[in-house]
Amino acid sequence: MKIVDAKVIVTCPGRNFVTVKIMTDQGIYGIGDATLNGREKSVVSYLEDYLLPMLIGRDPQQIEDIWQYFYRGVYWRRGPIGMTAIAGIDVALWDIKAKLANMPLYQLLGGRSRDRILVYSHANGKDLDSTLDAVRKAKEKGYKAVRIQCGVPGIAKMYGIAKSNKAYEPADSDLPMEESWSSEKYMKFIPEVFDAVRKEFGYDIHLLHDVHHRLTPIEAARVGKDLEPYRLFWMEDPVPAENQESFKLIRQHTTTPLAVGEVFNSIHDCRELIQNQMIDYIRTTIVHAGGITQLRRIADFASLYNVRTGFHGATDLSPVCMGAALHFDYWVPNFGIQEHMAHSPQMEEVFTRAYEFNDGYFTPGEKIGHGVDIDEKLAAKYPYKRACLPVNRLEDGTLWHW
Ligand code: EZ4
Ligand code: CO
């Protein structure tokens, strides 16, 4: 069996998505997501100019060898652009292998370990009242777990809060917009938010929160401690994680569970965090961490230390990534939770899916492969449009983490 063609499809049905499509001499094809939010074209170039030409003539069944060829073989290892490109190829190859085996992908991975996949949705509001409304709406849709972000009095524009009534959308301007931040104002306000949410909705719902790397370790320790009475499912990305040692300090002070890793792209980025049991959930996802081939290794390694998965699943990860992630979640023994932000109807016209939502849980569907496909004709109607993530500054103008 041989790969006869491989291409990249870029489409913007409301936001930019990059899809790898690999064709074989047996008529079977596979697709993979290779979207890197705000830097999409750099992955497109890496694929088109380098990796895809090297695929032609190879046996698509040799997923492992192809992965090693693009990881070890290129000399320049790791990094978001390279690992996202590898993930796009890897998922397309797993899709092909599952189609060859005539199985849904989860069967090929080892079969399902659970009946259904718990997901969390987002509830954000510019103030407390609108945040409570958003939680109510998520509950009405059936979600059993909700990530809560709330505008902070005195901070004009901040991450995670939607503009007017639009869906929350961080990448929406041709050049980066500027947001602002005050750790002091945030730290004072955030326990009040969770207090109000628990008072209104009780404890029979999982609550999550994303700090988006904005605190120092000792500040994160305090927030974790202050939030303990509200029993969070997790506190996400409390500090930047380049320095994995930061988490030792946070861990000494709080029992609020920690989730980290959506910006990681290799097993080495999370090795110390996992092996020193400094986190509870690993968020590294298929598209940004070298595909199923590497993520399996990360999950197996994490399972040795009681760390469970909680994959990133924002809308900038295409339905192709979501489909593959749900097959992975169905199988992985140490599953924790899966993030879910609904794609728009326009996006779901371009990408057809087999996965289904029912009362707060997903199932990946029984379609062979990962069950997601792309309508290329429709995709071609939505040309790429540059959309940058914002930057973040402190009140005195200092450029800050975001
Ligand atoms: O900022 O997906 O937990 N989710 C997040 C996301 C990320 C975007 C970046 O592309 O933090 O909203
Ligand atoms: Co996050």
Side-chain angles (χ1 to χ4, degrees), residues 120 122 147 159 168 209-213 234 236-237 262 283 312 314 339:
Y120 70 92
H122 289 199
R147 185 191 88 159
Y159 160 80
Y168 138 68
H209 178 62
D210 193 350
V211 184
H212 230 250
H213 313 109
W234 78 37
E236 175 179 334
D237 289 333
E262 67 183 49
R283 283 184 50 69
H312 190 200
E339 182 177 21

Side-chain angles (χ1 to χ4, degrees), residues 359-380:
D359 196 31
Y361 295 85
F362 267 89
T363 43
E366 293 299 320
K367 216 170 152 198
I368 63 164
H370 55 50
V372 182
D373 211 340
I374 182 166
D375 180 336
E376 289 188 62
K377 271 204 187 123
L378 199 54

